[in-house]
Amino acid sequence: MEIVVCIKQVPGTTEVKVDEKGNLIRDGIDSKMNPYDLYAVETALKIKEEKGAKVNVITMGPPQSEAVLREAFMMGADDAYLLTDRKFAGADVLATSYALYQGVLKTGKPQLIICGKQTTDGDTAQVGPEMAEYLGIPHVANVKKIHEVKENSIVVEMDMPTTMEIVEVQFPCLVTVEKGIFQPRLPSYKRKKQTVNKEIVKFSLKDFEDQDEKQYGSSGSPTQVERIFPPDVNTDKEMWEGSGEELGDKLFKKLADLKFV
Amino acid sequence: MAGIIVNQSKITDIDGAVKLCPFGAIEYTSNEVQINAACKLCMICVKKGPEGAFIFQEDKVEEIDKSLWKGVAVYVDHLDGDIHPVTLELIGKAKELAAKINHPVYAVFIGSNVTEKANDLLHYGVDEVFVYDNAALKDFKIEPYTAAFEDFISKVKPSTILVGATTLGRSLAPRVAARFKTGLTADCTILDVKENTDLVQIRPAFGGNIMAQIITPNHRPQFATVRYKIFNAPERSENPNGKVTVGTVPQDKLASAIEVLKIKQKEAEENISDAEVIVVAGRGIKKEKDLEMINELAAALGGQVACTRPLIEAGWGDPKKQIGLSGRTVRPKLIITCAVSGSVQFKAGMSNSDVIIAIDEDPKAAIFDVAHYGIVGDIYQVVPSLLEKIKSM
Ligand SMILES: Cc1cc2nc3c(=O)[nH]c(=O)nc-3n(C[C@H](O)[C@H](O)[C@H](O)COP(=O)(O)OP(=O)(O)OC[C@H]3O[C@@H](n4cnc5c(N)ncnc54)[C@H](O)[C@@H]3O)c2cc1C
Ligand SMILES: Nc1ncnc2c1ncn2[C@@H]1O[C@H](COP(=O)(O)O)[C@@H](O)[C@H]1O
């Protein structure tokens, strides 16, 4: 069987900050694999070990996002695809999903597509379901457990707010997995040595079946950022300073006033 | 193609130009300053770069006729007919938005044996509830639910659709939005509407300490998801108004490749979204053991403990206790934050709380921007001192 795992490179520990004038600043381009996607890769590798499968990883992003594909190689992925093109820049959820859908088509005929639950930068949890729609296949989100991988289907446990649902989905299908579904393995040094020169397949718009520029990047994005601004400041507040003792005392009195103690 | 065009002749300081972009999307290759695929179209280079060096080029778009799309619709989130309270909150917001542009408020209710329940929504100011009631819609399965939603949109043509950012809503809304090839903005914290019916969607963005205003200028319907506890539910009125309309999904579209084998009820667990009092631990907590002091304070106030993302990442807390954009939204009567800096992502999950007390040693911490009482001090001193007073009561 063929599995495709969608992985994304996200900013690492350094976060984007904003200065007094409302400008974005970011020092260092520290980046890493989206933590949720590590679980997605691990899930695919577990299925590979148990049932035998070819695990392909795919990412859309700037050239440097090759790094996360290399990391997936070090974990045990078989083939890697990098979708990169200036024309993909500025993509919102819809355009990202569309490019990934076109990319997935180029990898072969996967029975199973695995996404992370969400990214730590985009943070929408929407790319998976939108891709599934484009692919015309069912999806199950928030998968917490894989019960069984059968010949033509997969039995998974879906985490809902008040219930756990065990569902069986026919292939081909897409699942998004929760943190903690399996403990992701660490990249192996041995595999690193084996795969340093392993080729990464790169696709740009001209390799896709649908080469209509209007589907991709900012042109294919129905949503537009109209303006960015620093968050509101509440000026109607009391600020207290003093020793720990004084502040504790004052706070106690305030809580008593407000009838919380 | 829309994008940033670089005017090489206007760039004298190449290094400075490259550094303009916080996302590393400006690079110098083949003797040219170029924009790479990392561009997020945040426009910083256009605004801050040398005059005329970076130019935003827009696409020519075919204008749509927005007057053909009318109504603000709310998806009714429910489990076996039990309506999730986020639904009412969204109806409240939908009414506000609809009043501004003189549109009707709709609700779309998909499930099995739900027609009766649909009548109840008429007490909250919905003009028309569209019900898709079919045994095949009993369990949430993506294909038939999407088909029902699609039928509603095709027939009613609502301008805006609000969906609760619940587990189910986060799975269904993107699916339907993609079917209509339209925009969807997740986890909006502020919504407004323009005269031309464009929905103004505001949410934290770019992973930074910044808010973004997002619009869907040329697509309909416009989709937004909103979390529980962001907006206010309207009062229930005694007299129902409006009507219930029954819709049907063609039989062949009710089929699904998903079979629900078993549904297990989870044990009811404490939910920070329901807490009246919350004490939050932030990264200023030095050791896991020090959380005891926070637990103690929460217990003394009869409240729950919650934390910020770094603590969850450190494995010090249950992810269900995280407040914020990627955690839960809370709206307690009292929230005390202890050593929390107040990132936009955190504030997005708590800024509507009734009384906000923040303790932080940095007087410039952004948490003080939303606090009602800002306490500049060391939590290791203030909290024990407070606990002592409470104990000796
Ligand atoms: C897409 C995205 C989504 C995110 N979602 C969330 C989310 O849902 N929830 C969330 O919390 N974060 C979220 N984050 C992370 C967020 O940006 C911040 O990194 C995080 O909220 C910071 O947590 P903090 O305030 O505890 O830590 P810090 O920012 O490190 O702040 C610690 C504070 O403690 C103070 N302090 C230190 N020691 C003491 C002491 N002894 N006494 C008093 N004060 C002290 C410091 O002055 C500082 O203000 C998200 C980020 C992204 C990019
Ligand atoms: N640019 C991308 N490249 C590959 N996979 C992606 C990309 N963006 C999102 N995904 C996948 O979609 C999931 C949800 O992302 P998001 O909707 O951004 O929260 C991620 O965990 C990834 O599996």
Side-chain angles (χ1 to χ4, degrees), chain B residues 33-303:
Chain B
V33 174
Q34 296 187 357
I35 307 285
N36 71 25
C39 173
K40 296 199 188 315
L41 287 180
C42 71
M43 308 290 163
I44 294 235
C45 57
V46 177
K47 284 184 206 133
K48 306 283 164 199
E51 178 102 32
F54 297 92
I55 301 163
F56 175 59
Q57 181 183 289
E58 265 183 285
D59 275 339
K60 278 206 184 59
V61 283
E62 282 169 45
E63 298 259 326
I64 59 155
D65 184 353
K66 292 175 185 172
S67 69
L68 298 176
W69 297 83
K70 209 163 170 161
V72 181
V74 172
Y75 173 75
V76 180
D77 197 294
H78 70 101
L79 183 71
D80 289 329
D82 276 341
I83 296 174
H84 192 291
V86 71
T87 309
L88 299 180
E89 296 172 0
L90 294 183
I91 289 173
K93 181 49 85 174
K95 281 165 71 174
E96 241 175 71
L97 299 173
K100 285 195 181 172
I101 47 174
N102 207 6
H103 275 203
V105 174
Y106 300 131
V108 51
F109 203 160
I110 305 170
S112 170
N113 276 325
V114 294
T115 311
E116 196 61 19
K117 296 269 181 183
N119 286 306
D120 200 45
L121 294 172
L122 301 177
H123 290 275
Y124 293 93
V126 177
D127 296 302
E128 193 167 358
V129 185
F130 292 83
V131 179
Y132 292 85
D133 195 337
N134 191 306
L137 297 167
K138 182 173 181 315
D139 297 318
F140 171 59
K141 292 181 194 168
I142 197 66
E143 311 97 313
Y145 267 64
T146 310
F149 217 136
E150 178 184 6
D151 184 80
F152 163 73
I153 296 172
S154 305
K155 295 214 169 96
V156 179
K157 295 213 167 6
S159 174
T160 286
I161 298 175
L162 309 180
V163 181
T166 59
T167 314
L168 191 153
R170 283 166 164 264
S171 182
L172 181 60
R175 187 90 198 198
V176 184
R179 184 154 301 179
F180 286 87
K181 298 208 99 184
T182 187
L184 164 59
T185 306
D187 298 331
C188 299
T189 53
I190 300 173
L191 288 177
D192 200 353
V193 68
K194 297 189 186 178
E195 232 168 276
N196 70 359
T197 75
D198 281 357
L199 183 67
V200 176
Q201 307 160 113
I202 296 178
R203 61 160 295 173
F206 299 129
N209 235 339
I210 193 117
M211 305 293 285
Q213 175 166 325
I214 298 162
I215 51 167
T216 312
N218 224 3
H219 291 75
R220 291 293 183 271
Q222 321 168 70
F223 272 89
T225 66
V226 180
R227 285 160 167 261
Y228 177 35
K229 300 257 177 180
I230 297 278
F231 298 136
N232 297 317
E235 292 282 329
R236 186 190 159 94
S237 80
E238 273 316 306
N239 306 318
N241 227 320
K243 62 174 179 186
V244 173
T245 303
V246 177
T248 46
V249 189
Q251 199 61 36
D252 61 313
K253 289 201 172 167
L254 289 170
S256 171
I258 302 174
E259 190 188 346
V260 178
L261 304 178
K262 193 169 159 194
I263 299 184
K264 294 188 279 187
Q265 201 64 38
K266 279 204 273 196
E267 266 177 54
E269 46 189 33
E270 239 188 12
N271 184 344
I272 54 170
S273 293
D274 299 328
E276 299 215 322
V277 174
I278 298 178
V279 182
V280 192
R283 184 147 57 183
I285 300 285
K286 295 193 185 76
K287 311 191 282 301
E288 191 173 2
K289 197 165 172 300
D290 300 343
L291 282 170
E292 269 167 30
M293 143 181 117
I294 306 293
N295 293 338
E296 229 180 291
L297 179 56
L301 298 170

Side-chain angles (χ1 to χ4, degrees), chain A residues 5-9 34 36-37 40 58-61 93 96 100 114-128 131 176:
Chain A
V5 187
C6 302
I7 60 180
K8 187 185 180 190
Q9 188 179 47
N34 174 34
Y36 285 94
D37 298 345
I58 190 166
T59 193
M60 180 189 91
V93 179
T96 302
L100 284 170
I114 309 180
C115 287
K117 178 189 173 183
Q118 67 197 65
T119 50
T120 52
D121 62 342
D123 197 27
T124 72
Q126 291 170 347
V127 167
M131 263 173 78
T176 75

Side-chain angles (χ1 to χ4, degrees), chain A residues 28 37-39 43 52-53 59 61 65 86-88 96 99 119 132 134 172 174 210 217 234 237 245:
Chain A
D37 298 345
L38 289 169
Y39 297 97
T43 304
T59 193
S65 34
R86 250 205 76 181
K87 299 196 169 91
F88 300 157
T96 302
T119 50
Y134 279 131
L174 181 147
D210 183 354
N234 160 24
K237 66 179 166 210
E245 187 58 34

